[in-house]
Amino acid sequence: DTGVSQDPRHKITKRGQNVTFRCDPISEHNRLYWYRQTLGQGPEFLTYFQNEAQLEKSRLLSDRFSAERPKGSFSTLEIQRTEQGDSAMYLCASSLEGGQREQYFGPGTRLTVT
Amino acid sequence: KQEVTQIPAALSVPEGENLVLNCSFTDSAIYNLQWFRQDPGKGLTSLLLIQSSQREQTSGRLNASLDKSSGRSTLYIAASQPGDSATYLCAVRRRGQNFVFGPGTRLSVLP
């Protein structure tokens, strides 16, 4: 296994358009996390899944954001009606179950909203 | 609310120096702390994970310590190399909650 992968790596979209990102975790990892990172800041937690269940959502995740992990494998993060403030790096991470486990991050998807 | 700070924000050192990066957190009831490295425009690479019951972890030239009572962790890098140039992030986790990240320390190691 080559680690966590994310697609696309870069996305440029016009304000008001919808975008969808995909994350493929490490195959045996049942936990999957989404973070958002803006320039010069550390990542901020958005949401996480254990298998297909979405267990926690940050207040950062407005109604325009939705995440799914339908079969407990890959996950998608959709942003509807994008705004310029959505421009950021969207990072996905995965881990085994259990609070002691390390999180392994993907390369991220850089979103630019023009 | 857990807040994480990192000092210094940026650091520039000549190759071969030993250096220390600092991470402070406001709530000492943490589950674990993880140090990451991030190269420009890239994702995060895990360096070390310290459980709340541990005092330190070592991997190669890296040593991370944890003092929960004072809300501090340090990352020690021995014999720095230009390839160590990156942003170093610490993240703390409380039981039942997810990671809170610091803003990072941007390290430049000059040849």
Side-chain angles (χ1 to χ4, degrees), chain A residues 1-109:
Chain A
D1 191 287
T2 57
V4 180
S5 62
Q6 292 186 245
D7 184 69
R9 297 289 307 278
H10 303 275
K11 179 70 177 180
I12 300 174
T13 191
K14 293 184 177 180
R15 188 176 56 188
Q17 298 294 306
N18 299 343
V19 294
T20 299
F21 311 141
R22 175 179 171 127
C23 171
D24 287 87
I26 293 172
S27 57
E28 63 267 29
H29 287 182
N30 57 355
R31 286 195 174 178
L32 187 149
Y33 309 80
W34 285 100
Y35 293 84
R36 180 174 71 184
Q37 185 179 27
T38 53
L39 202 61
Q41 301 298 316
E44 296 174 291
F45 168 76
L46 292 178
T47 188
Y48 94 95
F49 293 83
Q50 181 159 308
N51 301 312
E52 65 275 10
Q54 188 173 17
L55 296 188
E56 186 177 347
K57 293 196 295 185
S58 162
R59 283 175 292 181
L60 292 175
L61 214 65
S62 75
D63 292 344
R64 296 185 298 106
F65 288 70
S66 63
E68 294 183 342
R69 194 182 182 197
K71 296 182 179 179
S73 56
F74 72 91
S75 175
T76 57
L77 177 68
E78 180 182 15
I79 309 175
Q80 296 181 327
R81 305 180 303 282
T82 52
E83 302 173 355
Q84 287 188 322
D86 297 331
S87 296
M89 175 80 88
Y90 290 84
L91 294 162
C92 175
S94 70
S95 75
L96 292 168
E97 184 176 345
Q100 298 179 345
R101 305 293 190 170
E102 286 185 68
Q103 292 191 15
Y104 295 87
F105 280 76
T109 294

Side-chain angles (χ1 to χ4, degrees), chain A residues 9 31 33 35 37 40-45 48 56 89 91 98-108 110, chain B residues 1 31-32 34 36 38 41-49 51 89 93 96-104:
Chain A
R9 297 289 307 278
R31 286 195 174 178
Y33 309 80
Y35 293 84
Q37 185 179 27
Q41 301 298 316
E44 296 174 291
F45 168 76
Y48 94 95
E56 186 177 347
M89 175 80 88
L91 294 162
Q100 298 179 345
R101 305 293 190 170
E102 286 185 68
Q103 292 191 15
Y104 295 87
F105 280 76
R110 179 165 296 284
Chain B
K1 178 187 172 185
Y31 203 44
N32 56 36
Q34 195 164 350
F36 296 88
Q38 186 173 32
K42 303 292 179 65
L44 279 65
T45 300
S46 177
L47 298 174
L48 291 164
L49 173 69
Q51 305 299 343
L89 296 147
R93 185 174 185 182
Q97 298 185 6
N98 286 287
F99 275 124
V100 176
F101 280 82

Side-chain angles (χ1 to χ4, degrees), chain B residues 38-60:
Chain B
Q38 186 173 32
D39 293 289
K42 303 292 179 65
L44 279 65
T45 300
S46 177
L47 298 174
L48 291 164
L49 173 69
I50 309 178
Q51 305 299 343
S52 60
S53 59
Q54 298 175 319
R55 297 282 295 185
E56 64 180 305
Q57 282 284 346
T58 298
S59 176

